[in-house]
Amino acid sequence: MSNGTERVTEADNYLAAGTTLRSWLTTHDHKRIALLYMISITAFFFIGGAAAVLMRFELATPAGDLVSHDTYNKLFTMHGVIMVWMFLIPSIPAGLGNFLMPMMIGARDLAFPRLNLLSWYLYVGGGLFTVVALIAGGADTGWTFYAPFSTLFSNTHVIFVLFGVFVVGFSSILTGINFIVTVHMLRAPGLTWFRLPLFVWANYATSIILVLATPVLAMTLLLLAAERLLGVGIFDPALGGDPLLFQHLFWFYSHPAVYIMVLPAMGVVSEIVPCFARKRVYGYRSMAYAILAIAIIGFMVWGHHMFVSGQSAYASLLFSLLSFLVAIPSAIKVFNWLATLKGGSIEFAAPMLYALGFIGLFTLGGLTGLILASLSADVHLTDTYFVVAHFHYIMVGGAVMAYLGGVHFWWPKIIGRTYPEMWGRIAALIAFFGFNLTFFPQFLLGYAGMPRRYLVYPERYQLLHVLSSAGASILAIGYLLPLGYLTWSLFRGPRASSNPWRATGLEWSTSSPPPPHNFAQTPVVTEEAYAYDSSADPKESRA
Amino acid sequence: MHRDTRRIVLAWSALLLLLAATCASAWLPIGVWNGVVNLGIAALKAAIVAAVFMHLGASSAARACVGVALFVLLLIFALAGSDYATRDLHPAAWQPPPTRTMP
Amino acid sequence: MIAAEAEPFDDVRQRARADTFGLWIFLMTELMFFGPLLFGYWFGRVEYAHAFAVASRHTDVTLGTLNTALLLSSSAAMAAAVAARVRRATRIATGLLLITFLLGCAFLVVKGLEYRSEWHEHLFPGAGFAFAGEDAAAVRYFYFLYFALTAVHALHLIVGMTLLAVFAIALWRGADEFAAPRRIELAGLYWHFVDIVWIFLYPLLYLLGRSGA
């Protein structure tokens, strides 16, 4: 076992093993690939964020005075495309997951290391292509690319953007294949399925969604391109097609996609909460089953995006019922986190602040999802800011907070240095406050009738918009701060011990940063996960 | 060795016979049952290829993959199909599509 | 000492099982990739039953049936090639891989002939489409699916054929490690999957409405 705070030698440190750019760009090490992902994900996040900043500036006044209508359409399209496909979907699985999945199961790497590198190149290639399309003028169809506007009327670079997304999709399929085979076949001796960390369960279920849903998107985007290029008519009612066919196919992927985004976030929360409550996760098995249930039922609810688009009332009823059902396993998870917290000895470290923020904001976002899943309420609320607020509560209040929480939690392990804890807590609180100020007014706006994707609005909505834009500037600070102090800690942060948080989990038994092959000898697992409040609880900082 | 070759030749013969059957049956005037018979024979052919050539029977992991994927694929047909089954489509008359200025 | 080629697994047998498992998952992603086209077909078949029957009768059932026979035979040849490679009968395996490849070529030639005549009949989707008779719009929809399905299938076939050619040449040159039995097996699984896709495309595209009902 390595000494904790001494400088880790070159042979024992994946970061120092090879310092050339080439060694990074041709690496097979899942930890390096994870870092490559995290760097590129961060870049895309700020590009997508820049689009959002421009939108919020524009929306501070009722008139369309900052950008033209067409430009505004392009802004929200590129914001959505980049945030969904180039940030949210890869962030936790390909960023944190690539690093942690092999380590959490006691493996030396993922099942297919070279495929892992290929998936990063596909991601960067597709992402760059999309950014180039953006610079060339972008698309204005919304990230949902609805026909017939995208196929017949839009005069923007739709096909370029589609192609970028198409390529990035293959990146996530490869990650999914890698994770599934890894979890099935590379678990250490004694690590049965029900001893796995919930982060592993979450990414496993996410991978199943990735491999089954993403190909449907790929074909749907191809069909869209064919319709646009050849005018074949599958989505054009005048030619015998059906625009709703596009929506069915698109949402068949895009609804499970939101579970691709939120399940890994739930996995992160399930790692952080027991650690900073010093308690086992309450109801471990139900948490694992709930993850699977969310993944499976999540495939059956996509029609709730189509309640007012012409879908039959009977199908809408069915989708509404199924959407209510999918809330049940999510609620079980929230209850179990709360039950884990109850009676624990809580430490409000930065990762815990993010995780607690997740629990509250995800709950609110989820409840508003139930409102939207109610057919009659949705007739009023669909395509308003209520929907925008709902999904940002889950995606930003939920997934982004969990991602940041995970980054902070595993930062010492990944980088081998600790970040400044006070700044971590400040940034978490600023982000939480800024987030709520940005998005809570949007629930009110939507309820009052403000449509989404509009840049001009009646004066009576301005107060809420101004509050939202003010919140956005605070939220931006909340995101820029970690960029600052985490970068600082790369060079100046104090060296980390192997287990600064006294957490359970195989990843914490290695040095910080870990050696290139993770474990000198394959560990043997003899106890359940989250062995806090037991004799195996790591009570002292592991030296 | 001979066992392997024999199994392959038998499977191949079965596949070609089934091909002849499905082709011939397509001309029988049995209405909607044509489709049922043809798809049924196709499923049988696929099963032979999967079982004999792909050794699907030997791998429970592979069978699980196929089962889960087929289930999810069927969800599209079942749920989106429920939409189409319960709503009337009134196709518009043929119209030439509008022209656009950009790919 | 852990065999380097098995990394990160402990032995090559585990590595082989992982590869096979990974390939099956990949094949399922391919199944889901074809899914939307199949659903689009089903939508058209239910909505425009008569026009679909008319359109399907317009396909060349002789060539289609011939192509199906060619692909089924190629699958048999591929299975035999894999079996030969596994028992180290390298020359036989090379020959069978070549036969599989040639059968794939024959398939593409026949498909090309079909496409050519369909091009001349103005059945390609796009501005040049023309069909005499009512339900032209729905017939056009059928033909879009016909071309989309068969073209995507053909692309997959070409990828498979490339794999076969690479492995056949490698085997012939004695590169036994590169053309390892495990890899030929994986190529075989892919080839059989492409065959299974066609097994379903054949009745869907060629046999609809043949009984005139």
Side-chain angles (χ1 to χ4, degrees), chain A residues 108 110-112 180 184-186 211-212 215-216 219 223 230-232 234 240 245, chain C residues 7-10 14-15 18-19 21 25 29 32-33 37 39 48 125-126 140-141 144:
Chain A
R108 291 187 291 281
L110 290 177
F112 307 118
I180 293 174
H184 273 278
M185 300 196 63
L186 279 169
V211 300
L212 292 174
V216 174
M219 179 54 79
L223 289 176
L230 302 172
V232 291
I234 23 163
L245 180 62
Chain C
E7 272 297 293
F9 296 91
D10 286 334
Q14 222 201 356
R15 151 112 272 155
D19 288 347
F21 187 21
I25 301 175
T29 71
M32 299 306 294
F33 186 62
L37 286 175
F39 183 72
Y48 307 117
R140 172 195 180 124
Y141 181 70
F144 167 68

mmCIF file of all heavy atoms in Angstrom, chain A residues 108 110-112 180 184-186 211-212 215-216 219 223 230-232 234 240 245, chain C residues 7-10 14-15 18-19 21 25 29 32-33 37 39 48 125-126 140-141 144:
data_model
loop_
_atom_site.group_PDB
_atom_site.id
_atom_site.type_symbol
_atom_site.label_atom_id
_atom_site.label_comp_id
_atom_site.label_asym_id
_atom_site.label_seq_id
_atom_site.Cartn_x
_atom_site.Cartn_y
_atom_site.Cartn_z
ATOM 1 N N ARG A 108 -8.357 -3.839 -14.079
ATOM 2 C CA ARG A 108 -7.209 -3.052 -14.508
ATOM 3 C C ARG A 108 -7.580 -2.051 -15.592
ATOM 4 O O ARG A 108 -6.860 -1.075 -15.799
ATOM 5 C CB ARG A 108 -6.094 -3.972 -15.029
ATOM 6 C CG ARG A 108 -5.449 -4.791 -13.932
ATOM 7 C CD ARG A 108 -4.239 -5.539 -14.479
ATOM 8 N NE ARG A 108 -4.607 -6.597 -15.406
ATOM 9 C CZ ARG A 108 -5.067 -7.793 -15.047
ATOM 10 N NH1 ARG A 108 -5.200 -8.091 -13.772
ATOM 11 N NH2 ARG A 108 -5.380 -8.691 -15.963
ATOM 12 N N LEU A 110 -11.098 -1.112 -18.702
ATOM 13 C CA LEU A 110 -12.364 -1.562 -19.274
ATOM 14 C C LEU A 110 -12.110 -2.771 -20.164
ATOM 15 O O LEU A 110 -10.976 -3.083 -20.497
ATOM 16 C CB LEU A 110 -12.987 -0.443 -20.109
ATOM 17 C CG LEU A 110 -13.541 0.768 -19.353
ATOM 18 C CD1 LEU A 110 -14.043 1.800 -20.343
ATOM 19 C CD2 LEU A 110 -14.684 0.352 -18.448
ATOM 20 N N ALA A 111 -13.188 -3.416 -20.574
ATOM 21 C CA ALA A 111 -13.055 -4.628 -21.390
ATOM 22 C C ALA A 111 -12.380 -4.343 -22.722
ATOM 23 O O ALA A 111 -11.612 -5.153 -23.223
ATOM 24 C CB ALA A 111 -14.423 -5.244 -21.631
ATOM 25 N N PHE A 112 -12.676 -3.185 -23.309
ATOM 26 C CA PHE A 112 -12.146 -2.882 -24.650
ATOM 27 C C PHE A 112 -11.460 -1.522 -24.612
ATOM 28 O O PHE A 112 -12.050 -0.508 -25.005
ATOM 29 C CB PHE A 112 -13.270 -2.879 -25.686
ATOM 30 C CG PHE A 112 -14.101 -4.139 -25.686
ATOM 31 C CD1 PHE A 112 -15.451 -4.089 -25.394
ATOM 32 C CD2 PHE A 112 -13.540 -5.374 -25.984
ATOM 33 C CE1 PHE A 112 -16.227 -5.243 -25.382
ATOM 34 C CE2 PHE A 112 -14.308 -6.532 -25.976
ATOM 35 C CZ PHE A 112 -15.650 -6.471 -25.672
ATOM 36 N N ILE A 180 -21.062 -2.465 -20.406
ATOM 37 C CA ILE A 180 -21.854 -3.671 -20.148
ATOM 38 C C ILE A 180 -20.940 -4.883 -20.027
ATOM 39 O O ILE A 180 -21.026 -5.656 -19.056
ATOM 40 C CB ILE A 180 -22.899 -3.889 -21.264
ATOM 41 C CG1 ILE A 180 -23.943 -2.780 -21.237
ATOM 42 C CG2 ILE A 180 -23.575 -5.242 -21.108
ATOM 43 C CD1 ILE A 180 -24.915 -2.847 -22.401
ATOM 44 N N HIS A 184 -20.120 -7.190 -16.567
ATOM 45 C CA HIS A 184 -20.432 -8.608 -16.542
ATOM 46 C C HIS A 184 -19.193 -9.452 -16.289
ATOM 47 O O HIS A 184 -19.251 -10.462 -15.592
ATOM 48 C CB HIS A 184 -21.066 -9.029 -17.868
ATOM 49 C CG HIS A 184 -22.546 -8.841 -17.901
ATOM 50 N ND1 HIS A 184 -23.418 -9.762 -17.367
ATOM 51 C CD2 HIS A 184 -23.318 -7.845 -18.387
ATOM 52 C CE1 HIS A 184 -24.671 -9.338 -17.535
ATOM 53 N NE2 HIS A 184 -24.629 -8.174 -18.154
ATOM 54 N N MET A 185 -18.062 -9.041 -16.855
ATOM 55 C CA MET A 185 -16.959 -9.989 -16.950
ATOM 56 C C MET A 185 -15.703 -9.618 -16.176
ATOM 57 O O MET A 185 -14.789 -10.427 -16.093
ATOM 58 C CB MET A 185 -16.595 -10.187 -18.421
ATOM 59 C CG MET A 185 -17.762 -10.724 -19.219
ATOM 60 S SD MET A 185 -17.286 -11.400 -20.794
ATOM 61 C CE MET A 185 -16.244 -12.733 -20.290
ATOM 62 N N LEU A 186 -15.614 -8.417 -15.635
ATOM 63 C CA LEU A 186 -14.342 -8.029 -15.018
ATOM 64 C C LEU A 186 -14.459 -7.732 -13.532
ATOM 65 O O LEU A 186 -13.556 -7.129 -12.958
ATOM 66 C CB LEU A 186 -13.757 -6.804 -15.749
ATOM 67 C CG LEU A 186 -13.013 -7.138 -17.040
ATOM 68 C CD1 LEU A 186 -12.715 -5.890 -17.835
ATOM 69 C CD2 LEU A 186 -11.726 -7.880 -16.749
ATOM 70 N N VAL A 211 -27.086 1.596 -25.646
ATOM 71 C CA VAL A 211 -26.910 0.726 -26.807
ATOM 72 C C VAL A 211 -28.229 0.450 -27.529
ATOM 73 O O VAL A 211 -28.235 0.163 -28.719
ATOM 74 C CB VAL A 211 -26.219 -0.613 -26.444
ATOM 75 C CG1 VAL A 211 -24.853 -0.353 -25.869
ATOM 76 C CG2 VAL A 211 -27.047 -1.456 -25.534
ATOM 77 N N LEU A 212 -29.350 0.544 -26.829
ATOM 78 C CA LEU A 212 -30.611 0.215 -27.491
ATOM 79 C C LEU A 212 -31.304 1.424 -28.086
ATOM 80 O O LEU A 212 -32.002 1.319 -29.084
ATOM 81 C CB LEU A 212 -31.547 -0.479 -26.495
ATOM 82 C CG LEU A 212 -31.088 -1.869 -26.070
ATOM 83 C CD1 LEU A 212 -31.979 -2.425 -24.981
ATOM 84 C CD2 LEU A 212 -31.080 -2.820 -27.261
ATOM 85 N N PRO A 215 -29.056 3.882 -31.470
ATOM 86 C CA PRO A 215 -29.167 3.532 -32.888
ATOM 87 C C PRO A 215 -30.470 4.005 -33.521
ATOM 88 O O PRO A 215 -30.509 4.327 -34.710
ATOM 89 C CB PRO A 215 -29.079 2.002 -32.889
ATOM 90 C CG PRO A 215 -28.418 1.642 -31.616
ATOM 91 C CD PRO A 215 -28.827 2.676 -30.644
ATOM 92 N N VAL A 216 -31.539 4.056 -32.732
ATOM 93 C CA VAL A 216 -32.805 4.543 -33.265
ATOM 94 C C VAL A 216 -32.669 6.010 -33.642
ATOM 95 O O VAL A 216 -33.144 6.455 -34.690
ATOM 96 C CB VAL A 216 -33.945 4.335 -32.241
ATOM 97 C CG1 VAL A 216 -35.226 4.969 -32.724
ATOM 98 C CG2 VAL A 216 -34.145 2.855 -31.999
ATOM 99 N N MET A 219 -30.711 6.320 -36.990
ATOM 100 C CA MET A 219 -31.509 6.096 -38.194
ATOM 101 C C MET A 219 -32.493 7.236 -38.404
ATOM 102 O O MET A 219 -32.732 7.670 -39.534
ATOM 103 C CB MET A 219 -32.241 4.755 -38.092
ATOM 104 C CG MET A 219 -33.115 4.456 -39.280
ATOM 105 S SD MET A 219 -32.271 4.545 -40.857
ATOM 106 C CE MET A 219 -31.412 2.988 -40.876
ATOM 107 N N LEU A 223 -33.004 9.505 -41.672
ATOM 108 C CA LEU A 223 -34.269 9.667 -42.376
ATOM 109 C C LEU A 223 -34.595 11.147 -42.559
ATOM 110 O O LEU A 223 -35.103 11.570 -43.601
ATOM 111 C CB LEU A 223 -35.397 8.975 -41.601
ATOM 112 C CG LEU A 223 -35.354 7.450 -41.627
ATOM 113 C CD1 LEU A 223 -36.453 6.871 -40.740
ATOM 114 C CD2 LEU A 223 -35.522 6.944 -43.043
ATOM 115 N N LEU A 230 -33.805 14.510 -50.367
ATOM 116 C CA LEU A 230 -34.473 13.852 -51.478
ATOM 117 C C LEU A 230 -35.961 14.131 -51.540
ATOM 118 O O LEU A 230 -36.610 13.793 -52.509
ATOM 119 C CB LEU A 230 -34.273 12.328 -51.396
ATOM 120 C CG LEU A 230 -32.841 11.836 -51.391
ATOM 121 C CD1 LEU A 230 -32.803 10.345 -51.121
ATOM 122 C CD2 LEU A 230 -32.187 12.142 -52.734
ATOM 123 N N GLY A 231 -36.498 14.727 -50.457
ATOM 124 C CA GLY A 231 -37.936 14.989 -50.463
ATOM 125 C C GLY A 231 -38.755 13.724 -50.548
ATOM 126 O O GLY A 231 -39.766 13.684 -51.226
ATOM 127 N N VAL A 232 -38.341 12.671 -49.848
ATOM 128 C CA VAL A 232 -38.997 11.384 -50.019
ATOM 129 C C VAL A 232 -40.409 11.341 -49.469
ATOM 130 O O VAL A 232 -41.232 10.562 -49.923
ATOM 131 C CB VAL A 232 -38.177 10.251 -49.362
ATOM 132 C CG1 VAL A 232 -36.901 10.024 -50.118
ATOM 133 C CG2 VAL A 232 -37.872 10.579 -47.920
ATOM 134 N N ILE A 234 -41.555 10.754 -46.123
ATOM 135 C CA ILE A 234 -42.006 9.945 -44.992
ATOM 136 C C ILE A 234 -42.588 10.789 -43.883
ATOM 137 O O ILE A 234 -43.394 10.324 -43.098
ATOM 138 C CB ILE A 234 -40.857 9.128 -44.362
ATOM 139 C CG1 ILE A 234 -39.510 9.748 -44.671
ATOM 140 C CG2 ILE A 234 -40.936 7.701 -44.738
ATOM 141 C CD1 ILE A 234 -38.457 9.260 -43.778
ATOM 142 N N GLY A 240 -48.063 11.787 -48.243
ATOM 143 C CA GLY A 240 -48.490 10.512 -47.662
ATOM 144 C C GLY A 240 -47.766 10.134 -46.399
ATOM 145 O O GLY A 240 -48.037 9.098 -45.805
ATOM 146 N N LEU A 245 -44.659 10.616 -37.217
ATOM 147 C CA LEU A 245 -43.748 9.470 -37.292
ATOM 148 C C LEU A 245 -42.362 9.908 -36.851
ATOM 149 O O LEU A 245 -41.677 9.209 -36.105
ATOM 150 C CB LEU A 245 -43.718 8.913 -38.717
ATOM 151 C CG LEU A 245 -42.814 7.705 -38.953
ATOM 152 C CD1 LEU A 245 -43.267 6.524 -38.113
ATOM 153 C CD2 LEU A 245 -42.810 7.324 -40.426
ATOM 154 N N GLU C 7 -4.949 -8.728 -21.889
ATOM 155 C CA GLU C 7 -5.262 -7.558 -21.062
ATOM 156 C C GLU C 7 -6.578 -6.911 -21.453
ATOM 157 O O GLU C 7 -6.860 -6.775 -22.636
ATOM 158 C CB GLU C 7 -4.156 -6.511 -21.211
ATOM 159 C CG GLU C 7 -3.006 -6.699 -20.229
ATOM 160 C CD GLU C 7 -3.442 -6.536 -18.776
ATOM 161 O OE1 GLU C 7 -3.806 -5.416 -18.395
ATOM 162 O OE2 GLU C 7 -3.413 -7.517 -18.052
ATOM 163 N N PRO C 8 -7.392 -6.415 -20.547
ATOM 164 C CA PRO C 8 -7.231 -6.501 -19.097
ATOM 165 C C PRO C 8 -7.779 -7.785 -18.483
ATOM 166 O O PRO C 8 -7.971 -7.864 -17.283
ATOM 167 C CB PRO C 8 -8.049 -5.310 -18.624
ATOM 168 C CG PRO C 8 -9.140 -5.225 -19.615
ATOM 169 C CD PRO C 8 -8.573 -5.654 -20.929
ATOM 170 N N PHE C 9 -8.039 -8.781 -19.297
ATOM 171 C CA PHE C 9 -8.541 -10.044 -18.760
ATOM 172 C C PHE C 9 -7.379 -10.902 -18.275
ATOM 173 O O PHE C 9 -6.224 -10.631 -18.557
ATOM 174 C CB PHE C 9 -9.328 -10.786 -19.829
ATOM 175 C CG PHE C 9 -10.562 -10.043 -20.245
ATOM 176 C CD1 PHE C 9 -10.540 -9.159 -21.300
ATOM 177 C CD2 PHE C 9 -11.743 -10.219 -19.555
ATOM 178 C CE1 PHE C 9 -11.671 -8.462 -21.672
ATOM 179 C CE2 PHE C 9 -12.887 -9.522 -19.919
ATOM 180 C CZ PHE C 9 -12.847 -8.645 -20.981
ATOM 181 N N ASP C 10 -7.741 -11.957 -17.565
ATOM 182 C CA ASP C 10 -6.693 -12.820 -17.002
ATOM 183 C C ASP C 10 -6.200 -13.848 -17.999
ATOM 184 O O ASP C 10 -5.085 -14.338 -17.877
ATOM 185 C CB ASP C 10 -7.218 -13.532 -15.750
ATOM 186 C CG ASP C 10 -7.322 -12.578 -14.571
ATOM 187 O OD1 ASP C 10 -6.576 -11.578 -14.563
ATOM 188 O OD2 ASP C 10 -8.144 -12.824 -13.679
ATOM 189 N N GLN C 14 -11.130 -15.907 -21.563
ATOM 190 C CA GLN C 14 -12.046 -14.884 -21.044
ATOM 191 C C GLN C 14 -12.150 -13.726 -22.030
ATOM 192 O O GLN C 14 -13.220 -13.187 -22.269
ATOM 193 C CB GLN C 14 -11.524 -14.385 -19.693
ATOM 194 C CG GLN C 14 -12.609 -14.214 -18.667
ATOM 195 C CD GLN C 14 -12.198 -13.266 -17.555
ATOM 196 O OE1 GLN C 14 -11.076 -12.789 -17.503
ATOM 197 N NE2 GLN C 14 -13.125 -12.965 -16.675
ATOM 198 N N ARG C 15 -11.008 -13.374 -22.608
ATOM 199 C CA ARG C 15 -10.960 -12.326 -23.613
ATOM 200 C C ARG C 15 -11.852 -12.696 -24.784
ATOM 201 O O ARG C 15 -12.598 -11.866 -25.313
ATOM 202 C CB ARG C 15 -9.512 -12.137 -24.049
ATOM 203 C CG ARG C 15 -9.274 -11.660 -25.448
ATOM 204 C CD ARG C 15 -8.709 -10.279 -25.486
ATOM 205 N NE ARG C 15 -9.795 -9.308 -25.498
ATOM 206 C CZ ARG C 15 -9.685 -8.062 -25.068
ATOM 207 N NH1 ARG C 15 -8.561 -7.652 -24.565
ATOM 208 N NH2 ARG C 15 -10.700 -7.264 -25.110
ATOM 209 N N ALA C 18 -15.457 -12.301 -23.876
ATOM 210 C CA ALA C 18 -15.815 -10.886 -23.824
ATOM 211 C C ALA C 18 -16.018 -10.325 -25.226
ATOM 212 O O ALA C 18 -16.963 -9.566 -25.478
ATOM 213 C CB ALA C 18 -14.733 -10.098 -23.093
ATOM 214 N N ASP C 19 -15.130 -10.686 -26.144
ATOM 215 C CA ASP C 19 -15.269 -10.215 -27.523
ATOM 216 C C ASP C 19 -16.594 -10.666 -28.117
ATOM 217 O O ASP C 19 -17.285 -9.891 -28.791
ATOM 218 C CB ASP C 19 -14.116 -10.738 -28.389
ATOM 219 C CG ASP C 19 -12.800 -10.044 -28.070
ATOM 220 O OD1 ASP C 19 -12.835 -9.013 -27.384
ATOM 221 O OD2 ASP C 19 -11.756 -10.538 -28.523
ATOM 222 N N PHE C 21 -19.356 -11.530 -26.543
ATOM 223 C CA PHE C 21 -20.436 -10.817 -25.871
ATOM 224 C C PHE C 21 -20.558 -9.404 -26.425
ATOM 225 O O PHE C 21 -21.645 -8.926 -26.765
ATOM 226 C CB PHE C 21 -20.142 -10.799 -24.361
ATOM 227 C CG PHE C 21 -21.246 -10.239 -23.498
ATOM 228 C CD1 PHE C 21 -22.551 -10.188 -23.941
ATOM 229 C CD2 PHE C 21 -20.952 -9.777 -22.229
ATOM 230 C CE1 PHE C 21 -23.561 -9.682 -23.122
ATOM 231 C CE2 PHE C 21 -21.957 -9.278 -21.409
ATOM 232 C CZ PHE C 21 -23.263 -9.217 -21.857
ATOM 233 N N ILE C 25 -23.771 -7.566 -28.442
ATOM 234 C CA ILE C 25 -24.398 -6.297 -28.087
ATOM 235 C C ILE C 25 -24.377 -5.368 -29.301
ATOM 236 O O ILE C 25 -25.365 -4.695 -29.617
ATOM 237 C CB ILE C 25 -23.674 -5.629 -26.894
ATOM 238 C CG1 ILE C 25 -23.688 -6.547 -25.675
ATOM 239 C CG2 ILE C 25 -24.320 -4.300 -26.550
ATOM 240 C CD1 ILE C 25 -22.880 -6.008 -24.507
ATOM 241 N N THR C 29 -27.369 -3.423 -31.423
ATOM 242 C CA THR C 29 -27.475 -2.013 -31.807
ATOM 243 C C THR C 29 -27.823 -1.909 -33.296
ATOM 244 O O THR C 29 -28.580 -1.036 -33.703
ATOM 245 C CB THR C 29 -26.182 -1.215 -31.539
ATOM 246 O OG1 THR C 29 -25.161 -1.583 -32.442
ATOM 247 C CG2 THR C 29 -25.717 -1.368 -30.128
ATOM 248 N N MET C 32 -31.491 -2.397 -33.670
ATOM 249 C CA MET C 32 -32.225 -1.178 -33.333
ATOM 250 C C MET C 32 -32.039 -0.112 -34.413
ATOM 251 O O MET C 32 -32.898 0.741 -34.595
ATOM 252 C CB MET C 32 -31.769 -0.621 -31.981
ATOM 253 C CG MET C 32 -31.992 -1.551 -30.805
ATOM 254 S SD MET C 32 -33.691 -2.116 -30.650
ATOM 255 C CE MET C 32 -34.532 -0.588 -30.274
ATOM 256 N N PHE C 33 -30.914 -0.169 -35.109
ATOM 257 C CA PHE C 33 -30.663 0.780 -36.194
ATOM 258 C C PHE C 33 -31.635 0.562 -37.341
ATOM 259 O O PHE C 33 -32.136 1.512 -37.941
ATOM 260 C CB PHE C 33 -29.208 0.617 -36.659
ATOM 261 C CG PHE C 33 -28.755 1.615 -37.683
ATOM 262 C CD1 PHE C 33 -28.720 2.964 -37.388
ATOM 263 C CD2 PHE C 33 -28.332 1.204 -38.936
ATOM 264 C CE1 PHE C 33 -28.282 3.888 -38.326
ATOM 265 C CE2 PHE C 33 -27.889 2.121 -39.883
ATOM 266 C CZ PHE C 33 -27.863 3.463 -39.580
ATOM 267 N N LEU C 37 -36.701 1.974 -39.720
ATOM 268 C CA LEU C 37 -37.101 1.674 -41.094
ATOM 269 C C LEU C 37 -38.187 0.608 -41.110
ATOM 270 O O LEU C 37 -39.151 0.701 -41.877
ATOM 271 C CB LEU C 37 -35.892 1.191 -41.905
ATOM 272 C CG LEU C 37 -34.877 2.262 -42.303
ATOM 273 C CD1 LEU C 37 -33.681 1.622 -42.982
ATOM 274 C CD2 LEU C 37 -35.517 3.288 -43.215
ATOM 275 N N PHE C 39 -40.319 -0.001 -38.749
ATOM 276 C CA PHE C 39 -41.567 0.577 -38.269
ATOM 277 C C PHE C 39 -42.191 1.467 -39.339
ATOM 278 O O PHE C 39 -43.411 1.466 -39.530
ATOM 279 C CB PHE C 39 -41.357 1.379 -36.979
ATOM 280 C CG PHE C 39 -42.640 1.926 -36.438
ATOM 281 C CD1 PHE C 39 -43.572 1.080 -35.860
ATOM 282 C CD2 PHE C 39 -42.944 3.267 -36.564
ATOM 283 C CE1 PHE C 39 -44.773 1.573 -35.384
ATOM 284 C CE2 PHE C 39 -44.159 3.767 -36.091
ATOM 285 C CZ PHE C 39 -45.064 2.919 -35.501
ATOM 286 N N TYR C 48 -51.400 2.129 -46.114
ATOM 287 C CA TYR C 48 -51.570 2.116 -47.564
ATOM 288 C C TYR C 48 -51.465 0.690 -48.080
ATOM 289 O O TYR C 48 -50.674 0.396 -48.968
ATOM 290 C CB TYR C 48 -50.506 2.981 -48.237
ATOM 291 C CG TYR C 48 -50.428 4.381 -47.680
ATOM 292 C CD1 TYR C 48 -49.287 4.830 -47.046
ATOM 293 C CD2 TYR C 48 -51.509 5.251 -47.779
ATOM 294 C CE1 TYR C 48 -49.212 6.109 -46.534
ATOM 295 C CE2 TYR C 48 -51.450 6.530 -47.265
ATOM 296 C CZ TYR C 48 -50.294 6.954 -46.643
ATOM 297 O OH TYR C 48 -50.227 8.213 -46.142
ATOM 298 N N PRO C 125 -36.454 7.474 -55.169
ATOM 299 C CA PRO C 125 -37.108 8.601 -54.497
ATOM 300 C C PRO C 125 -36.402 9.898 -54.834
ATOM 301 O O PRO C 125 -35.212 9.904 -55.085
ATOM 302 C CB PRO C 125 -36.926 8.265 -53.014
ATOM 303 C CG PRO C 125 -35.743 7.384 -52.956
ATOM 304 C CD PRO C 125 -35.733 6.594 -54.222
ATOM 305 N N GLY C 126 -37.144 10.959 -54.830
ATOM 306 C CA GLY C 126 -36.555 12.236 -55.173
ATOM 307 C C GLY C 126 -37.365 12.890 -56.268
ATOM 308 O O GLY C 126 -38.470 12.462 -56.591
ATOM 309 N N ARG C 140 -44.472 5.624 -53.904
ATOM 310 C CA ARG C 140 -43.189 6.298 -53.719
ATOM 311 C C ARG C 140 -42.662 6.049 -52.312
ATOM 312 O O ARG C 140 -41.466 5.832 -52.105
ATOM 313 C CB ARG C 140 -43.416 7.787 -53.953
ATOM 314 C CG ARG C 140 -42.265 8.669 -53.622
ATOM 315 C CD ARG C 140 -42.773 10.107 -53.546
ATOM 316 N NE ARG C 140 -41.707 11.018 -53.236
ATOM 317 C CZ ARG C 140 -41.382 12.069 -53.969
ATOM 318 N NH1 ARG C 140 -42.051 12.337 -55.068
ATOM 319 N NH2 ARG C 140 -40.405 12.854 -53.620
ATOM 320 N N TYR C 141 -43.549 6.090 -51.343
ATOM 321 C CA TYR C 141 -43.173 5.834 -49.953
ATOM 322 C C TYR C 141 -42.615 4.418 -49.811
ATOM 323 O O TYR C 141 -41.581 4.205 -49.181
ATOM 324 C CB TYR C 141 -44.403 6.036 -49.065
ATOM 325 C CG TYR C 141 -44.169 5.822 -47.607
ATOM 326 C CD1 TYR C 141 -43.414 6.705 -46.867
ATOM 327 C CD2 TYR C 141 -44.740 4.734 -46.948
ATOM 328 C CE1 TYR C 141 -43.215 6.517 -45.515
ATOM 329 C CE2 TYR C 141 -44.552 4.537 -45.605
ATOM 330 C CZ TYR C 141 -43.795 5.428 -44.884
ATOM 331 O OH TYR C 141 -43.597 5.226 -43.556
ATOM 332 N N PHE C 144 -39.187 4.328 -51.325
ATOM 333 C CA PHE C 144 -38.152 4.917 -50.480
ATOM 334 C C PHE C 144 -37.673 3.897 -49.452
ATOM 335 O O PHE C 144 -36.475 3.704 -49.238
ATOM 336 C CB PHE C 144 -38.645 6.170 -49.753
ATOM 337 C CG PHE C 144 -37.708 6.605 -48.661
ATOM 338 C CD1 PHE C 144 -36.453 7.094 -48.978
ATOM 339 C CD2 PHE C 144 -38.047 6.449 -47.336
ATOM 340 C CE1 PHE C 144 -35.563 7.452 -47.980
ATOM 341 C CE2 PHE C 144 -37.163 6.806 -46.337
ATOM 342 C CZ PHE C 144 -35.917 7.310 -46.656
#
